[in-house]
Amino acid sequence: MEKITRRKFISVSLGGAAAGAFVLSGKAQGAGNFTGYPEGMGVLVDLTRCIGCRTCEAACNREQGLPEPALPFDDTSVFDQEFHGGQKRRTDENAFTVVNRYDQAEGGPVYRKIQCNHCNEPACLTSCFVNAYTKTKEGAVIYNSKVCVGCRMCMTACPFRIPAYAYSSATNPVIRKCIFCYDTRLKYGKPPACIDACPQGVLTFGHRKNLVKIAHERIRANSDLYVDYVYGEDEVGGTAWMYLSGVPFEEVDFDVTMQKKPILNNAQDFLSQVPMVLAIWPALFLGFHRLSTRGEEDGDENSNLSNREESQS
Amino acid sequence: MRSLVNNGYQPVDSPVDEGTKRHWGFVEKLLLGLTPREYLSQAMKNPLNWVLGVLFAVGFPVIIYRFVFGLGAVTHSSNDYPWGLFLGFGLFVMVPLSASGFLLGTTVELFGRKDFKPIERLGLLNGLLGYFFAVIYLLMDLGQPWRLPYPMVVAWGTAAVLFLVGWHVAVYLTVQIVEVSEAFFEWVHWPMAKIFIKRITIGLTIAGIILSTLHQGALGALFTYAPSKVHPLWYSQEFLWIFFFTSSIYAGLCMLIAVSTVVKKTMAWRCSDEWLKKLDSQTIGLARGASMALITYFVIKVVGIAHDNEWAYLATGWGQWYILELAVGVILPLVVLGYGIRSERVGIVRLGAFIAVAGIVLNRLNTALVTFNWNLYPEIPHLLETIIAVTVFGLYIATYRFILYRLPIVYAWNPLPLEVREKATETAAVPGTLGQHSAAFSDVSLLD
Ligand code: SF4
Ligand code: SF4
Ligand code: SF4
């Protein structure tokens, strides 16, 4: 009896430990108070300056070696395209950035460029179970297609609905999104292609912390031109790409209800229970077992059903 | 089968052929002691086989098509709806319906409720197959299914909830294979292996509770990554994992009732009289547990709405859908189960269990697909995607039946050669006591 108990105990502890090792380490990494990258770069997008010329789209297409689109980049009819009951264009495997037009009741239309916002604490990164994403010290959120399993959790998690999937490939489908021109430019301290190409100075490239100052300075200097808000300064823990707008942000399809804390924090409630369950359950349930089977010997019944003799008797 | 049994056929349930006193060969065991011709002819008579045959004839080519041409060919390849039926149904529905494995293990092995012993193995098998097929669905869905082991061996994204789900499902699947292998070892007659499994049962069961508590909850926690996408009524940052965990309890128990009902109705010939006799009282017992979980679930759902102060949403169309889900999926089965239990009418209890299972399907699909992107647009799954989902489910049913026909899950495997068995019955002072079993059992291991 003594022996069996010890063996049982060992198997229990092993089960717990095996499950525990990785979960505890997950907790340790996940719960850290991350405050962003001090040297991180960013971009300030000033919607009041954009004329919808789509030069940035073309530049991105060239820089990233993407296939030629069905309609040329100077064709403005794409602004009238609608998908899935009124949805405007979005990023996909062949377009890492798109510009959309929002007609206004008064004044001219407002154009809005979208691409990955390179979050400070990216939901795509923290939700990926193989660490396919990396936030580089320059601020870019890049992706490693070599380890991606294709579960598309990152797409579910990204609050800006940016990562797209190469659904068309059967053998090597990968996530496709703006990578801040990391490989070809950002790494070498150069601004991304779309920024270089913009003829209107819509996109300001610089250290993120300076951009925040510039943004507020611009709002202060032209309070009649701008809405007093820097989108991306605080959203989901802050993003490297931030926006200034002359019209209320919700009118150009920004999600203004977005939470300020990082998305990962939402799962922290659950993740923080995990070590507790691991620590308490084995002892608790072994205790229940000892109580509820006291005086009985266990493990010696030889079938789940009584044998035939019994049913006959 | 029924006609065969009426004609005096007895399916294999011991290592020895009663007629010829000869040990059954492996293939003979596979064919249930029938000749290949007899086996084939009974299979052709079963209408379910014809249905499955047609389903597979359509479905398998579609599955091949999916792997040759990629996900884009069989789904609406949406960047806004990264998850479709394969995960929405295959993972988020199948896993809670398979909670019966750890629930029955806990009840019988840990809480010592030996009265649930007869149905324990069906509970374990239901758990194993549900998880196994959840993984099959996952393979259909993953862009690069051959990389499934990556989170275990290549790259560890330890901070991700999905990492927890992946590891736990993998480890727990192993635990369940070991648990169910007890029946397998009886069937192939490896007594020593079975004795070894018995010894580690408690450890396995406790590991099972830990893993299940966490990954059932983790499936809910996955949606906390998408706060702005799931409708607020279905989203609860603090409680989502508790909702998923609590509902998995009644999901597992009711699924077990549902499956045992189907088994009783369609393959009574394979069930031992003992199993059939005890099923009704066990069904009511399981239903008691399920209604407890249902009440808890209902209360915490209301607490959840109060906590996030979402009453206003109830007045909207989504609110009506939400109320319908709760009414049909939780309150209705609760009332039906309660009535069935009190009046001891097993038929009513079974009906209640089926409704509760449907309620879980509705809830998980609502969370993963219907209310997902509620402020964008609804997504209707592609026809081919639906065909694959149904085909895999058909495979699940076929596998389930294949195993139930053979392994001693709903009947007792009689490990003793006839002579020894007769002697044991004669000499035992009180038939059916525990001591007799272990004595008889050690006889067997000596004899073999
Ligand atoms: S915007 Fe989306 S894809 Fe880009 S870093 Fe943030 S979470 Fe990731
Ligand atoms: S799809 Fe790839 S990158 Fe995205 S979460 Fe899954 S494994 Fe990670
Ligand atoms: S930063 Fe580079 S990858 Fe991103 S949108 Fe601009 S050009 Fe494209």
Side-chain angles (χ1 to χ4, degrees), chain A residues 127-130 132-133 143 147-154 165 175:
Chain A
S127 68
C128 174
F129 69 158
V130 288
Y133 287 92
Y143 158 84
V147 297
C148 172
V149 182
C151 66
R152 312 192 292 294
M153 178 78 226
C154 50
Y165 200 58
I175 294 289

Side-chain angles (χ1 to χ4, degrees), chain A residues 266-285:
Chain A
N266 301 1
Q268 284 304 332
D269 286 333
F270 170 71
L271 285 171
S272 56
Q273 314 288 334
V274 170
M276 281 301 163
V277 170
L278 288 171
I280 297 171
W281 263 214
L284 187 68
F285 284 93

Side-chain angles (χ1 to χ4, degrees), chain A residues 4 7-8 11-12 15-16 18-23 25-27 29-30 83-85 87 90-93 123 125-132 143-174 255 257-259 261 263-271 273-275 277-278 281-283 285-290 292-293 296-313, chain B residues 10 13-14 18 66-73 75 77-84 87 106 109-112 114 117-118 121 141-148 150-151 154-164 166-168 171 186 194 198-200 202-204 206-207 209-211 213-214 217-218 221-222 224-229 235 237-238 241 272 274-275 278 372-373 375-377 379 408-416 421 425 431-432 434 436-438 440-441:
Chain A
I4 291 176
R7 197 176 301 123
K8 265 183 215 155
S11 56
V12 168
F22 47 82
V23 174
S25 60
K27 158 84 178 132
Q29 288 192 11
F83 305 87
H84 291 295
Q87 298 295 311
R90 60 154 290 159
T91 55
D92 63 30
E93 56 174 305
L125 185 154
T126 50
S127 68
C128 174
F129 69 158
V130 288
N131 263 346
Y143 158 84
N144 173 8
S145 66
K146 295 278 177 303
V147 297
C148 172
V149 182
C151 66
R152 312 192 292 294
M153 178 78 226
C154 50
M155 299 167 72
T156 298
C158 171
F160 303 105
R161 302 192 293 119
I162 292 302
Y165 200 58
Y167 283 104
S168 54
S169 164
T171 48
N172 190 29
V174 289
D255 182 350
T257 62
M258 198 161 291
Q259 64 185 45
K261 56 185 188 171
I263 298 276
L264 178 64
N265 288 23
N266 301 1
Q268 284 304 332
D269 286 333
F270 170 71
L271 285 171
Q273 314 288 334
V274 170
V277 170
L278 288 171
W281 263 214
F285 284 93
L286 206 54
F288 280 142
H289 172 63
R290 299 303 294 267
S292 52
T293 58
E296 281 176 50
E297 278 194 55
D298 43 62
D300 51 4
E301 234 183 316
N302 91 40
S303 168
N304 62 328
L305 296 172
S306 44
N307 278 317
R308 223 184 262 168
E309 297 89 0
E310 266 180 277
S311 46
Q312 281 161 1
S313 62
Chain B
Q10 249 232 311
D13 67 348
S14 75
E18 305 239 352
R66 175 254 174 274
F67 283 104
V68 174
F69 295 100
L71 272 172
T75 63
S77 49
S78 162
N79 289 322
D80 289 325
Y81 276 92
W83 293 344
L87 291 188
T106 309
E109 306 298 339
L110 288 185
F111 295 156
K114 292 279 173 355
K117 190 89 186 163
R121 278 197 181 169
D141 185 76
L142 289 181
Q144 316 223 18
W146 46 89
R147 289 187 181 169
L148 185 64
Y150 272 33
V154 176
W156 285 22
T158 45
V161 171
L162 193 61
F163 183 76
L164 195 92
W167 263 91
H168 281 196
V171 176
E186 280 182 12
K194 193 190 138 175
K198 278 253 151 254
R199 293 226 169 104
I200 59 169
I202 296 296
L204 289 177
I206 292 182
I209 308 182
I210 296 175
L211 295 165
T213 319
L214 291 176
L222 278 184
T224 60
Y225 281 109
S228 49
K229 299 182 184 175
Y235 178 87
Q237 190 183 309
E238 291 87 354
W241 74 272
S272 64
E274 190 67 13
W275 192 85
K278 289 186 175 166
F372 193 84
N373 280 344
N375 40 21
L376 281 189
Y377 59 93
E379 150 86 2
I409 305 287
V410 292
Y411 70 92
W413 187 254
N414 225 313
L416 307 179
R421 195 164 71 207
T425 328
L434 300 174
Q436 179 220 342
H437 285 278
S438 43
F441 193 72

